[in-house]
Amino acid sequence: MKKSIFYHAGCPVCVSAEKELLNLVDQSQIEIVHLGENKKRIEEAEKAGVKSVPALLMPSGNVLHLNFGASLSDLKN
Amino acid sequence: MKKSIFYHAGCPVCVSAEKELLNLVDQSQIEIVHLGENKKRIEEAEKAGVKSVPALLMPSGNVLHLNFGASLSDLKN
């Protein structure tokens, strides 16, 4: 099965959402990407439809935005 | 383990988020509540910190708002 990708930026909302998510879902099913530390992947996330972090890109291609930490455009600065 | 509660209102965003969530998580771990059909539970959701649907109330008491379908106040009408 394709993995889901959890995009975050280390913000408090992100960390809290990550913690909740990992209680729900087997960690081996999720790749965790810190867009603040890995800015090269912002474009990839954007193309996948991610508008803000934290967000979970599903194997189906759909994106679940979990609460609101920061918009993707804020991460580019 | 306490169950998580998925609150929704049958909106397209809700249905899509529910589908994704149930791909990720064992359905037996989640109670699904349709606030449009079950308006008595809007108050309970509100007290738990739910501001919009779809949302997932975790056993920890934290709420994950998944995308945005409708605000809770719109459901009261």
Side-chain angles (χ1 to χ4, degrees):
Chain A
M1 202 181 91
K2 226 178 131 189
K3 278 192 180 190
S4 302
I5 307 178
F6 180 73
Y7 292 104
H8 74 111
C11 57
V13 173
C14 298
V15 172
S16 158
E18 180 181 340
K19 212 175 121 191
E20 297 300 337
L21 198 65
L22 295 182
N23 279 334
L24 268 183
V25 187
D26 183 0
Q27 188 160 359
S28 66
Q29 286 184 51
I30 303 187
E31 180 190 0
I32 295 174
V33 177
H34 189 314
L35 289 178
E37 292 171 353
N38 201 340
K39 289 188 183 256
K40 283 182 195 164
R41 296 193 63 175
I42 293 179
E43 197 185 331
E44 158 205 313
E46 219 166 21
K47 279 186 185 158
V50 174
K51 290 184 169 39
S52 61
V53 287
L56 186 67
L57 173 62
M58 307 291 296
S60 65
N62 284 335
V63 179
L64 288 178
H65 294 91
L66 307 162
N67 297 340
F68 179 82
S71 74
L72 231 56
S73 55
D74 290 337
L75 298 180
K76 291 182 187 166
N77 304 323
Chain B
M1 203 180 91
K2 226 177 131 190
K3 278 192 181 191
S4 303
I5 306 177
F6 181 73
Y7 292 105
H8 74 112
C11 58
V13 172
C14 298
V15 171
S16 158
E18 180 181 340
K19 212 176 121 192
E20 297 300 338
L21 199 65
L22 295 181
N23 279 333
L24 269 184
V25 187
D26 183 0
Q27 188 159 359
S28 66
Q29 285 183 52
I30 303 187
E31 181 189 359
I32 295 175
V33 177
H34 189 315
L35 289 178
E37 292 171 353
N38 202 340
K39 290 188 183 257
K40 283 182 195 164
R41 297 192 63 176
I42 293 179
E43 197 185 333
E44 157 205 313
E46 219 166 21
K47 280 187 186 157
V50 174
K51 290 183 170 39
S52 61
V53 288
L56 187 66
L57 173 61
M58 307 291 297
S60 65
N62 284 336
V63 179
L64 287 178
H65 295 91
L66 306 162
N67 298 339
F68 179 82
S71 75
L72 231 57
S73 55
D74 290 337
L75 297 180
K76 291 183 187 166
N77 303 325

